[in-house]
Amino acid sequence: MKVEFAPLSLPLQRRLQTASVVQWVFSFLCLAQCCTAAFIALFFTRFWLVSALYATWWFIDREKPSKGGRRIHTIRNSVIWRYMRDYFPITLVKTAELDPRQNYLMAFHPHGVLAAGAFLNFCTEASGFSTLFPGITPHLMMLSLWFRIPFFRDYLMSGGLVSSDKQSASYVLQKPEGGNMLAIIVGGAQEALDARPGSCTLLLKNRKGFVRLAIQHGTPLVPIFSFGENDLFEQVRNPKGSWLRQLQHRLQQIMGISLPLFHARGIFQYSFGLIPYRRPICTVVGKPIPVQRKHRPSEEEVDQVHQKYLNELSKLFEEHKAKYNIPEDRHLEFI
């Protein structure tokens, strides 16, 4: 006997979509602190053995974030992420085929405030990454700082996140069997300070480490532009030279993470809150740029490939911007 379930009503779907986004925002703003507090608090209860055993496991497993992580497909395929996808919505667009016998280095732009497109497209299966790119396993780099937090580190690795250090990148890119993709949000935390609706400014002009890494491993570079990534939040005005920007820059140097003062909508109202606006994100994956392998590339060789990458990224943006309501006179600006 076949049992059929009635489709969810639209109001219920909307509530589930909002709840999934609340969970995502909460996980990056509060879950890390909660995990740390729980780990310490357990030592002062009769469940102290849980923290003691985890501490032992943590020490044994300490190198895992730099060695490909530990993805859990059940979590990557959770229905929660599909509700999150539909909230904005978020779509992933392929413009070229990727050979599963080869490794790739993908550069993602822009960072946005919380990198929603990068997380959902590469750390979950909600947008159908494995269907679009069969045989390719995605890894998204994240600040190593986050992998020092108990319990939270395991949650991050379950989606395919790995630490953002050279050892971690080399581990993924040098796998001889191929079929691995390493995604780097090149602008990083500093670029998040310029994330506001309508912005097309990318912190990329002097960011060449990812290019050098690709040359050293002979890995094709793949440009990615996520249209709408900067439109999810408003940000308090912080022009360069202002006291707020100087404070944010100083805190970034000390903590390793930026602290953009952002706001959008609330859970039950649309005027103010920390929940992102319901605005579409379309992540467009460009075609691979072949890179000749060289163990120690010169500065001139790195500059040449870097310039070629800038040209291809600009071309990708220009070819697709009209589809996503970007004005004809707006172009990418590299700083």
Side-chain angles (χ1 to χ4, degrees):
M1 180 178 178
K2 184 177 179 181
V3 179
E4 295 185 359
F5 295 92
L8 297 176
S9 64
L10 184 59
L12 180 56
Q13 289 181 30
R14 287 293 180 89
R15 287 197 291 270
L16 288 171
Q17 291 167 7
T18 303
S20 67
V21 174
V22 170
Q23 176 193 350
W24 166 67
V25 173
F26 174 79
S27 68
F28 284 96
L29 297 182
C30 304
L31 188 56
Q33 293 90 330
C34 293
C35 287
T36 303
F39 177 75
I40 296 173
L42 284 173
F43 275 112
F44 300 94
T45 70
R46 60 178 178 174
F47 301 107
W48 62 270
L49 188 59
V50 174
S51 286
L53 290 174
Y54 183 84
T56 303
W57 161 251
W58 187 5
F59 177 77
I60 296 172
D61 195 56
R62 64 189 181 280
E63 299 296 332
K64 196 62 178 177
S66 297
K67 293 186 176 180
R70 185 187 303 104
R71 66 187 58 235
I72 300 175
H73 293 288
T74 301
I75 294 180
R76 284 180 57 86
N77 287 282
S78 173
V79 67
I80 292 173
W81 308 127
R82 295 198 290 274
Y83 284 121
M84 177 179 167
R85 173 200 64 195
D86 295 337
Y87 171 86
F88 295 99
I90 295 177
T91 54
L92 182 64
V93 176
K94 177 177 71 173
T95 62
E97 296 292 338
L98 298 184
D99 186 353
R101 296 168 298 180
Q102 195 164 18
N103 297 320
Y104 295 92
L105 195 160
M106 291 186 170
F108 183 94
H109 314 276
H111 183 286
V113 172
L114 293 178
F119 173 79
L120 190 132
N121 287 314
F122 305 135
C123 297
T124 81
E125 287 296 331
S127 58
F129 182 92
S130 295
T131 302
L132 285 173
F133 302 103
I136 303 294
T137 301
H139 302 79
L140 177 63
M141 300 194 86
M142 190 176 191
L143 283 175
S144 302
L145 167 70
W146 297 107
F147 294 95
R148 299 172 188 168
I149 301 173
F151 304 121
F152 190 59
R153 67 189 290 275
D154 301 283
Y155 167 70
L156 296 176
M157 287 193 290
S158 69
L161 284 156
V162 295
S163 61
S164 58
D165 54 63
K166 190 173 182 180
Q167 176 189 356
S168 177
S170 296
Y171 183 88
V172 174
L173 296 178
Q174 68 187 8
K175 288 187 175 182
E177 68 275 13
N180 290 281
M181 180 274 282
L182 181 69
I184 301 177
I185 307 178
V186 180
Q190 189 175 345
E191 190 176 78
L193 298 177
D194 289 313
R196 47 180 46 86
S199 174
C200 292
T201 301
L202 301 180
L203 187 60
L204 187 56
K205 191 174 184 179
N206 296 312
R207 297 273 172 123
K208 302 176 183 179
F210 73 103
V211 174
R212 185 180 299 276
L213 188 65
I215 296 174
Q216 289 173 343
H217 291 87
T219 306
L221 278 168
V222 181
I224 300 175
F225 195 87
S226 194
F227 292 90
E229 193 75 44
N230 282 336
D231 298 336
L232 306 186
F233 297 94
E234 301 287 348
Q235 190 170 167
V236 174
R237 192 169 180 275
N238 60 342
K240 292 183 178 180
S242 65
W243 68 268
L244 177 57
R245 188 59 169 260
Q246 291 176 355
L247 176 61
Q248 290 172 323
H249 182 64
R250 181 58 179 165
L251 289 174
Q252 181 192 343
Q253 290 178 323
I254 297 172
M255 304 169 60
I257 58 175
S258 64
L259 297 172
L261 298 180
F262 61 90
H263 61 89
R265 52 158 289 192
I267 299 176
F268 303 110
Q269 43 77 31
Y270 295 88
S271 57
F272 188 83
L274 297 179
I275 308 303
Y277 294 120
R278 300 182 72 113
R279 293 172 180 171
I281 298 174
C282 187
T283 303
V284 182
V285 180
K287 64 180 181 179
I289 303 170
V291 175
Q292 187 68 34
R293 183 173 184 175
K294 189 170 184 179
H295 182 59
R296 292 184 178 179
S298 64
E299 290 298 327
E300 291 75 18
E301 290 170 324
V302 173
D303 290 342
Q304 184 179 7
V305 176
H306 184 260
Q307 186 58 52
K308 185 176 181 180
Y309 177 83
L310 295 182
N311 295 339
E312 289 296 326
L313 179 60
S314 296
K315 182 180 177 182
L316 180 70
F317 178 81
E318 295 296 330
E319 287 178 348
H320 293 86
K321 67 180 184 181
K323 304 174 188 175
Y324 308 111
N325 301 318
I326 306 296
E328 182 64 29
D329 60 350
R330 186 169 297 168
H331 310 284
L332 290 183
E333 178 185 0
F334 303 123
I335 59 174

